[in-house]
Amino acid sequence: MIEVTNLHSGYGRIPILHGIDLKMKPGEVVGILGHNGMGKTTLLRTLVGNIKATSGRIDFAGHDITRASTAERSRTGIGYVPQGRDIFPQLSVMENLKMGEIMRNGESAIPEMLDHFPVLKDLLERPGRGLSGGQQQILALARCLAGRPKLILLDEPTEGIQPSIVDLIAEKLGELRAALNLGIILVEQDIRFIRQLADRVLIIQKGVFVAEISPQQLYDREAVDAHLGI
Amino acid sequence: MTAACNGTGGIVAAVIIGLALLVVVPLVVDPIFLIELTSYVILAILALSLGLIWGYGGILCFGQSAFFGIGAYAYAIAVINMGDSTIPLILSIVVPALFAALLGYFLFYARITDVYFGVITLTVTLILYKLMGTTSGSAYTIGNAAIGGYNGIPAIPPLNLPGSPTTFLSLDGLFYAAGLTLLAVYVGLRLMLKSRFGQVVVAIRENERRAELLGYDARFYKLAAFTIGGGIAGLAGCLFANWGMFISPDVFGLAQSAQVIIWVIVGGTGTLLGPIVGCFLVQWIATQLGTQQVLNANLVLGTILIGFVLLVPKGITPTVLDLIERTCQRRSYAKPLVEKRSVS
């Protein structure tokens, strides 16, 4: 579904990614682990086009999207839920959801999303700024999924969220992944969350993947620390 | 209450109030003040155009008066040559809208934003001011219309009924035409902002990167809103040229450009009512100050405006709406308590 070859990118003259290679099948969940500043968020932002790749190639669903704009990448089926959620605070929950689905023709995905995330049903008229952190995260996820993406990139979705909401998000992502054959790239510090969802885990250090481990290996704390260079 | 104001009920109420004012005002004010009021209504349309692109599109344009002036000049030159005002009226919308589209294309697609956008639009306006000022003399004549440099174009034929070039609008008629245009622009913008297009424009204002991540080309939507704003400002320019039957490069001046922004700041951004309120209030205060000889009018007006910015930073309309919303919330919070007490 997505194939990243020798990807380099960075901020201005500061290179962050130094040759990322990644290949994912449809419906696969890949977790990415790494310390702060190793390039996890930069990788996601390069994949969605927020940051331009300085070299390398990104193919998605059979198309070279390396030079495509952010909006074009979104329209080809890449969804992104960034750190901090980035919901529209002035728009209501329903309007936020509509923003996610407007570009899609055919049936609305909103009723389906409300079935998956019933907590939003009672909040539809409430402005985004009036939601708790957990509710905002659920809204950001539902809005992203309302665009029926084939691949979603999640940047630390559990950050600052209470454990019950984290469990709910993990459960729903598992269901949706199976139902929609949804690919997920998951950047996360919460090892328990990655273990619940990921098919495989890539360790990133200084802008390159240095190891690939199975979710089961995450139970071995010493091995994880060794991979992370601790 | 504010939710109701934002819905269809709010639009219907606005139409009813607007029509009622249009009927009643000419009956109760003297003709001299009606002429003054007509200019406020026309300038309120200009304020609305900036209210759209700044308040909703998040595009701070210092050159809205450029589109206003282009609309006025387009109308004046066309109507002097054609006689009938129907096509000149259309041109007064189309020409500034095209100019806005061209200018906006280069700015938005070059990702020029924030203060740079403001500086460039202001510069373009001042260039137009200088350019139009150099058009005196017989060499600068388009058909029968002499552009006239800083002397401007006098004796501009007023609007006439479509297809009947000899049936001109009276002063009362211009008030009705301006009032109905203001109402139509207001309602049209309300409906547009409720549409998907409008929601995307607002979403881009709130978080452009996020909107792009959801698949929207922010540059295109900003350009579209900017073009619509340019067309509306041009229409206001056409009515303004009708009101004074005269137009000069002063419409492109720094004072005019700043004035539009002041109206929107005083009335409040993020609402459509705000720019109208701000325009009426500031223009009325300026007129009242102009009638007295004791104090320097500009000094007093400047002090009042600084006071507004410091004391009511959000502008009048959002502040009043916030107060109403808070009052409604307090009442709704108080209700269950009263019920509980009565039960116990």
Side-chain angles (χ1 to χ4, degrees), chain B residues 87-336:
Chain B
I87 292 174
L89 174 65
I90 294 166
L91 286 174
S92 74
I93 301 168
V94 173
V95 174
L98 286 175
F99 183 74
L102 190 68
L103 178 64
Y105 175 79
F106 288 111
L107 297 180
F108 293 125
Y109 281 77
R111 298 277 185 192
I112 289 169
T113 53
D114 302 329
V115 71
Y116 303 103
F117 191 93
V119 169
I120 291 172
T121 48
L122 181 60
T123 307
V124 167
T125 312
L126 295 178
I127 288 171
L128 285 171
Y129 174 71
K130 285 283 179 194
L131 184 72
M132 296 311 285
T134 59
T135 55
S136 58
S138 55
Y140 299 98
T141 302
I142 301 173
N144 298 323
I147 302 174
Y150 286 112
N151 293 323
I153 305 176
I156 299 169
L159 287 166
N160 57 260
L161 288 180
S164 176
T166 52
T167 316
F168 297 116
L169 276 185
S170 63
L171 283 175
D172 279 11
L174 184 60
F175 173 78
Y176 292 123
L180 285 172
T181 305
L182 176 61
L183 196 57
V185 169
Y186 175 80
V187 171
L189 291 180
R190 286 278 299 255
L191 293 172
M192 190 196 84
L193 288 166
K194 284 178 76 69
S195 70
R196 285 181 167 185
F197 171 80
Q199 285 185 349
V200 175
V201 169
V202 174
I204 290 168
R205 175 198 68 187
E206 295 212 350
N207 193 332
E208 185 169 334
R209 183 180 291 168
R210 183 93 284 267
E212 290 200 328
L213 286 166
L214 291 169
Y216 303 103
D217 187 343
R219 298 167 302 181
F220 170 78
Y221 282 91
K222 284 163 86 170
L223 179 61
F226 190 63
T227 304
I228 292 167
I232 294 169
L235 175 61
C238 163
L239 293 170
F240 189 73
N242 268 273
W243 176 75
M245 298 172 78
F246 170 76
I247 197 74
S248 77
D250 285 346
V251 288
F252 298 111
L254 191 60
Q256 180 75 18
S257 301
Q259 199 165 253
V260 193
I261 291 172
I262 289 167
W263 296 333
V264 179
I265 289 173
V266 170
T269 53
T271 68
L272 289 177
L273 197 58
I276 300 174
V277 170
C279 174
F280 272 76
L281 187 69
V282 173
Q283 288 305 102
W284 180 77
I285 292 172
T287 306
Q288 297 307 309
L289 288 171
T291 59
Q292 53 84 42
Q293 304 292 324
V294 183
L295 295 164
N296 182 300
N298 284 332
L299 186 70
V300 178
L301 188 61
T303 309
I304 290 171
L305 293 175
I306 290 170
F308 259 109
V309 171
L310 292 175
L311 300 173
V312 198
K314 287 165 77 178
I316 296 170
T317 312
T319 306
V320 171
L321 289 175
D322 279 356
L323 278 173
I324 294 169
E325 195 171 7
R326 261 183 250 154
T327 310
C328 290
Q329 276 176 354
R330 257 182 237 141
R331 282 185 187 163
S332 63
Y333 290 146
K335 249 184 182 174

Side-chain angles (χ1 to χ4, degrees), chain A residues 35-148:
Chain A
H35 288 303
N36 289 338
M38 292 296 149
K40 304 186 296 293
T41 298
T42 306
L43 171 60
L44 297 192
R45 292 186 63 191
T46 308
L47 292 180
V48 294
N50 265 180
I51 301 172
K52 291 217 172 356
T54 47
S55 66
R57 182 182 166 111
I58 307 167
D59 287 283
F60 179 70
H63 301 286
D64 179 3
I65 59 163
T66 318
R67 301 282 159 234
S69 71
T70 302
E72 284 165 347
R73 292 181 201 209
S74 171
R75 287 196 288 267
T76 59
I78 299 179
Y80 178 42
V81 181
Q83 229 173 343
R85 277 83 73 176
D86 262 4
I87 59 157
F88 299 112
Q90 301 287 335
L91 300 186
S92 69
V93 168
M94 181 50 115
E95 286 167 343
N96 264 281
L97 289 171
K98 280 184 177 170
M99 285 299 302
E101 68 135 16
I102 286 172
M103 57 177 195
R104 303 286 181 237
N105 295 321
E107 274 186 34
S108 168
I110 293 176
E112 189 187 332
M113 287 306 120
L114 292 177
D115 286 342
H116 283 295
F117 302 102
V119 66
L120 296 176
K121 282 182 182 170
D122 297 330
L123 306 168
L124 289 176
E125 297 305 317
R126 191 179 289 188
R129 62 175 184 273
L131 303 184
S132 68
Q135 289 166 338
Q136 286 189 6
Q137 186 65 64
I138 289 171
L139 174 59
L141 192 58
R143 183 183 59 186
C144 177
L145 292 167
R148 300 183 197 278

